[in-house]
Amino acid sequence: MFLYRRTPQLPTPQEALRGRPVPEFTVPARHTVLGNPLLGPYPEGLETADFALGCFWGAERKFWQTDGVWTTLAGYQGGYTENPAYEEVCSGLTGHTETVRVVYDPETVTYAELLKLFWESHDPTQGFRQGNDVGTQYRSAVFTHSPGQAAAAEASREAYQRVLTASGHGEITTQILPADGRPFYPAEPAHQQYLDKNPAGYCGIGGTGVSCPVGVAPAEG
């Protein structure tokens, strides 16, 4: 039984649940929509990006519907608990946020274009919530896999802040952090491509209605 935090607050490493050295489930072999393997190693030439923008059910669908995306995977990232369970993440005692891993072909869709989709698909000013979903596991974050991704994410955040401010919105709370040292833990099989399996299922993803500039980020590398 977990003690759920009434007010969202990130735990310290000492407060976080311990977790387990190996997951208690097996990730499905293939994506139910795209048909490609969920886990790597991935084909040469593909790149990986990690985005957290609220409930991963709707967030994952946003990305798998994008041309050039090879596979997507719902999971947990940014916290301390090893191989967490969904109930543990919901307790607020893991430090993780619900994240979508996006494996994509940069010849078809650029990282800058994925960032534009990320910013426009949620409200990045809400802190530990997204719409009616409240908790540290719903915070906005980008976990970068290269200096180029980090520079692009920072530039796009600055550009989007300018247009959000001009439209009367508040400050972006999105974390931009290196993925290195912040393992991505796949979520349980039921959460993978959830809205494909449950077309009428809940989706709490919704943007601000403010368009994000694209092409402002430096070249990836």
Side-chain angles (χ1 to χ4, degrees):
M1 182 175 182
F2 308 116
L3 297 176
Y4 287 74
R5 293 178 182 266
R6 293 188 177 183
T7 301
Q9 179 182 345
L10 285 171
T12 65
Q14 294 73 30
E15 293 172 328
L17 300 174
R18 182 173 298 178
R20 51 203 57 80
V22 295
E24 296 182 330
F25 56 86
T26 299
V27 176
R30 293 188 176 273
H31 198 286
T32 62
V33 179
L34 301 176
N36 294 320
L38 289 184
L39 299 178
Y42 302 114
E44 185 176 352
L46 300 184
E47 296 180 4
T48 299
D50 295 330
F51 300 106
L53 54 155
C55 177
F56 49 24
W57 293 347
E60 188 188 12
R61 181 171 62 182
K62 287 284 186 181
F63 289 103
W64 86 52
Q65 292 176 335
T66 301
D67 288 343
V69 170
W70 194 79
T71 199
T72 59
L73 183 64
Y76 314 111
Q77 196 170 13
Y80 308 109
T81 302
E82 288 186 278
N83 297 295
Y86 180 71
E87 293 79 7
E88 293 172 335
V89 174
C90 290
S91 76
L93 294 173
T94 68
H96 290 297
T97 185
E98 294 190 12
T99 303
V100 178
R101 171 150 288 181
V102 181
V103 180
Y104 66 101
D105 180 356
E107 297 295 323
T108 304
V109 61
T110 66
Y111 187 65
E113 290 169 329
L114 293 177
L115 283 167
K116 177 179 172 66
L117 176 62
F118 165 76
W119 294 118
E120 293 180 354
S121 296
H122 75 304
D123 184 344
T125 71
Q126 293 191 328
F128 294 148
R129 63 174 293 178
Q130 197 58 218
N132 293 326
D133 295 327
V134 179
T136 57
Q137 72 271 29
Y138 299 116
R139 71 187 185 275
S140 175
V142 179
F143 300 98
T144 61
H145 289 262
S146 69
Q149 282 193 0
E154 294 283 358
S156 68
R157 180 171 61 182
E158 292 174 9
Y160 199 41
Q161 183 65 74
R162 288 193 292 270
V163 295
L164 283 178
T165 300
S167 301
H169 292 272
E171 292 295 313
I172 289 174
T173 59
T174 303
Q175 297 176 302
I176 297 176
L177 300 167
D180 185 32
R182 295 175 175 85
F184 175 92
Y185 298 104
E188 292 83 346
H191 296 298
Q192 305 302 335
Q193 298 88 63
Y194 179 85
L195 291 180
D196 177 56
K197 303 168 187 171
N198 304 274
Y202 169 77
C203 176
I205 296 297
T208 61
V210 178
S211 179
C212 177
V214 68
V216 298
E220 187 174 352

